[in-house]
Coordinates of all heavy atoms in Angstrom, one line a residue:
P61 N -3.3 15.9 -35.4 CA -2.8 16.8 -34.4 C -3.6 16.6 -33.1 O -4.8 16.4 -33.1 CB -3.1 18.2 -35.0 CG -3.4 18.0 -36.4 CD -3.9 16.6 -36.6
G62 N -2.8 16.7 -32.0 CA -3.5 16.6 -30.7 C -2.5 16.3 -29.6 O -1.3 16.3 -29.9
G63 N -3.0 16.0 -28.4 CA -2.1 15.6 -27.3 C -2.9 15.6 -26.0 O -4.1 15.5 -26.0
F64 N -2.2 15.6 -24.9 CA -2.8 15.4 -23.6 C -3.4 16.7 -23.1 O -2.8 17.8 -23.4 CB -1.8 14.9 -22.6 CG -1.5 13.4 -22.9 CD1 -0.3 13.0 -23.5 CD2 -2.3 12.4 -22.4 CE1 -0.1 11.7 -23.8 CE2 -2.1 11.1 -22.7 CZ -1.0 10.7 -23.3
V65 N -4.4 16.6 -22.3 CA -5.1 17.7 -21.7 C -4.4 18.0 -20.4 O -4.2 17.1 -19.6 CB -6.6 17.4 -21.5 CG1 -7.3 18.6 -20.7 CG2 -7.3 17.1 -22.8
D66 N -4.0 19.2 -20.1 CA -3.4 19.6 -18.9 C -4.5 19.8 -17.8 O -5.6 20.1 -18.1 CB -2.6 20.9 -19.0 CG -1.4 20.7 -19.9 OD1 -0.8 19.6 -20.0 OD2 -0.9 21.8 -20.4
A67 N -4.1 19.7 -16.5 CA -5.0 19.9 -15.4 C -5.5 21.3 -15.5 O -4.8 22.3 -15.8 CB -4.3 19.7 -14.1
G68 N -6.8 21.5 -15.4 CA -7.5 22.8 -15.4 C -7.9 23.2 -16.8 O -8.5 24.3 -17.0
E69 N -7.5 22.5 -17.9 CA -7.9 22.8 -19.2 C -9.1 22.1 -19.6 O -9.4 21.0 -19.2 CB -6.8 22.3 -20.2 CG -5.7 23.3 -20.6 CD -4.8 22.8 -21.6 OE1 -4.4 21.6 -21.6 OE2 -4.4 23.6 -22.5
V70 N -9.9 22.7 -20.5 CA -11.1 22.0 -21.1 C -10.5 21.4 -22.4 O -9.5 21.9 -23.0 CB -12.3 23.0 -21.4 CG1 -12.8 23.5 -20.1 CG2 -11.9 24.1 -22.3
A71 N -11.2 20.4 -22.9 CA -10.7 19.7 -24.1 C -10.5 20.5 -25.3 O -9.4 20.4 -26.0 CB -11.7 18.5 -24.4
E72 N -11.4 21.4 -25.6 CA -11.3 22.2 -26.8 C -10.1 23.2 -26.7 O -9.4 23.4 -27.7 CB -12.6 23.0 -27.0 CG -13.8 22.2 -27.4 CD -14.5 21.7 -26.1 OE1 -14.0 21.8 -25.0 OE2 -15.7 21.2 -26.3
D73 N -9.9 23.8 -25.5 CA -8.7 24.7 -25.4 C -7.4 23.9 -25.5 O -6.4 24.4 -26.1 CB -8.8 25.4 -24.0 CG -9.9 26.4 -24.0 OD1 -10.4 26.8 -25.1 OD2 -10.2 26.9 -22.9
A74 N -7.4 22.7 -24.9 CA -6.2 21.8 -25.0 C -5.9 21.5 -26.4 O -4.7 21.5 -26.9 CB -6.3 20.6 -24.2
L75 N -6.9 21.2 -27.2 CA -6.8 20.8 -28.6 C -6.3 22.0 -29.4 O -5.4 21.9 -30.2 CB -8.1 20.3 -29.2 CG -8.0 19.8 -30.6 CD1 -6.8 18.8 -30.8 CD2 -9.3 19.1 -31.0
R76 N -6.8 23.2 -29.2 CA -6.4 24.4 -29.9 C -4.9 24.6 -29.6 O -4.1 25.0 -30.4 CB -7.2 25.6 -29.5 CG -8.6 25.6 -30.2 CD -9.4 26.9 -29.8 NE -10.7 26.8 -30.4 CZ -11.8 26.3 -29.7 NH1 -11.7 26.0 -28.5 NH2 -12.9 26.3 -30.3
R77 N -4.5 24.5 -28.3 CA -3.1 24.7 -27.9 C -2.2 23.6 -28.6 O -1.1 24.0 -29.2 CB -3.0 24.5 -26.4 CG -1.5 24.5 -25.9 CD -1.4 24.3 -24.4 NE -2.1 23.1 -23.9 CZ -1.7 21.8 -24.0 NH1 -0.5 21.6 -24.7 NH2 -2.3 20.8 -23.5
E78 N -2.6 22.4 -28.6 CA -1.8 21.4 -29.3 C -1.7 21.6 -30.8 O -0.6 21.4 -31.4 CB -2.4 20.0 -29.0 CG -2.2 19.5 -27.6 CD -0.8 19.0 -27.3 OE1 0.0 18.9 -28.2 OE2 -0.5 18.9 -26.1
I79 N -2.7 22.0 -31.4 CA -2.7 22.3 -32.9 C -1.7 23.5 -33.1 O -0.9 23.4 -34.1 CB -4.1 22.6 -33.4 CG1 -5.0 21.3 -33.4 CG2 -4.0 23.2 -34.8 CD1 -6.4 21.6 -33.6
R80 N -1.8 24.5 -32.3 CA -0.8 25.6 -32.5 C 0.6 25.2 -32.3 O 1.5 25.5 -33.0 CB -1.1 26.8 -31.5 CG -2.2 27.8 -31.9 CD -2.2 29.0 -31.0 NE -2.1 28.7 -29.5 CZ -3.1 28.4 -28.8 NH1 -4.4 28.3 -29.2 NH2 -3.0 28.1 -27.5
E81 N 0.8 24.4 -31.2 CA 2.2 23.9 -30.9 C 2.7 23.0 -32.0 O 3.9 23.0 -32.4 CB 2.2 23.1 -29.6 CG 2.0 24.0 -28.4 CD 1.9 23.3 -27.1 OE1 1.9 22.0 -27.1 OE2 1.7 23.9 -26.1
E82 N 1.9 22.1 -32.6 CA 2.4 21.1 -33.5 C 2.5 21.6 -35.0 O 3.4 21.2 -35.7 CB 1.5 19.9 -33.5 CG 1.6 19.1 -32.2 CD 0.8 17.9 -32.1 OE1 -0.1 17.7 -32.9 OE2 1.0 17.1 -31.1
V83 N 1.5 22.4 -35.4 CA 1.5 22.8 -36.8 C 1.2 24.3 -37.0 O 1.1 24.7 -38.2 CB 0.4 22.0 -37.6 CG1 0.8 20.5 -37.7 CG2 -1.0 22.1 -37.0
G84 N 1.1 25.1 -36.0 CA 1.0 26.5 -36.1 C -0.3 27.0 -36.6 O -0.3 28.2 -37.2
L85 N -1.3 26.3 -36.5 CA -2.7 26.7 -37.1 C -3.6 27.2 -35.9 O -3.5 26.6 -34.8 CB -3.4 25.6 -37.8 CG -2.7 25.2 -39.1 CD1 -3.5 24.0 -39.7 CD2 -2.8 26.3 -40.1
A86 N -4.4 28.2 -36.2 CA -5.4 28.6 -35.3 C -6.8 28.0 -35.8 O -7.1 28.3 -37.0 CB -5.5 30.1 -35.2
V87 N -7.5 27.3 -34.9 CA -8.8 26.8 -35.3 C -9.8 27.3 -34.4 O -9.7 27.2 -33.2 CB -8.7 25.2 -35.2 CG1 -10.1 24.6 -35.6 CG2 -7.6 24.6 -36.1
E88 N -10.8 28.0 -35.0 CA -11.9 28.5 -34.1 C -12.9 27.5 -33.7 O -13.2 27.2 -32.6 CB -12.6 29.7 -34.9 CG -11.7 30.9 -35.1 CD -11.2 31.5 -33.8 OE1 -12.1 31.6 -32.8 OE2 -10.0 31.8 -33.6
R89 N -13.5 26.9 -34.7 CA -14.6 25.9 -34.5 C -14.2 24.5 -34.4 O -13.5 24.0 -35.4 CB -15.7 26.1 -35.5 CG -16.9 25.2 -35.2 CD -18.0 25.5 -36.1 NE -19.1 24.5 -36.0 CZ -20.2 24.5 -36.5 NH1 -20.5 25.6 -37.3 NH2 -21.1 23.6 -36.3
L90 N -14.5 23.8 -33.4 CA -14.2 22.4 -33.2 C -15.5 21.7 -32.9 O -16.1 22.1 -31.9 CB -13.2 22.1 -32.2 CG -11.7 22.6 -32.5 CD1 -10.9 22.6 -31.2 CD2 -11.1 21.7 -33.6
D91 N -15.9 20.7 -33.6 CA -17.2 20.0 -33.3 C -16.8 18.6 -32.8 O -16.0 17.9 -33.5 CB -18.0 19.9 -34.6 CG -18.5 21.2 -35.1 OD1 -19.0 22.0 -34.2 OD2 -18.4 21.5 -36.3
Y92 N -17.4 18.2 -31.7 CA -17.1 16.9 -31.2 C -17.5 15.8 -32.2 O -18.6 15.9 -32.8 CB -18.0 16.7 -29.9 CG -17.9 15.3 -29.3 CD1 -16.7 15.0 -28.6 CD2 -18.9 14.4 -29.4 CE1 -16.6 13.7 -28.1 CE2 -18.8 13.2 -28.9 CZ -17.7 12.8 -28.2 OH -17.6 11.5 -27.7
F93 N -16.7 14.8 -32.3 CA -16.9 13.7 -33.2 C -17.2 12.4 -32.4 O -18.2 11.7 -32.5 CB -15.8 13.5 -34.2 CG -16.0 12.4 -35.2 CD1 -17.1 12.5 -36.1 CD2 -15.2 11.3 -35.2 CE1 -17.3 11.4 -37.0 CE2 -15.4 10.3 -36.1 CZ -16.4 10.4 -37.0
C94 N -16.2 11.9 -31.6 CA -16.4 10.7 -30.8 C -15.3 10.6 -29.7 O -14.3 11.4 -29.7 CB -16.3 9.5 -31.7 SG -14.7 9.1 -32.4
S95 N -15.4 9.7 -28.8 CA -14.3 9.4 -27.9 C -14.1 7.9 -27.9 O -15.0 7.1 -28.2 CB -14.7 9.8 -26.5 OG -15.8 9.1 -26.0
L96 N -12.8 7.5 -27.6 CA -12.4 6.1 -27.7 C -11.3 5.9 -26.6 O -10.4 6.8 -26.4 CB -11.8 5.8 -29.1 CG -12.8 5.8 -30.2 CD1 -12.1 5.9 -31.6 CD2 -13.7 4.6 -30.1

Side-chain angles (χ1 to χ4, degrees):
F64 287 99
V65 177
D66 291 336
E69 269 186 319
V70 296
E72 294 87 347
D73 290 344
L75 185 51
R76 286 184 184 95
R77 174 183 51 76
E78 289 286 347
I79 292 168
R80 274 192 318 275
E81 290 173 1
E82 292 179 350
V83 295
L85 291 175
V87 179
E88 290 302 315
R89 183 172 171 174
L90 292 167
D91 295 313
Y92 174 77
F93 182 64
C94 71
S95 64
L96 292 162

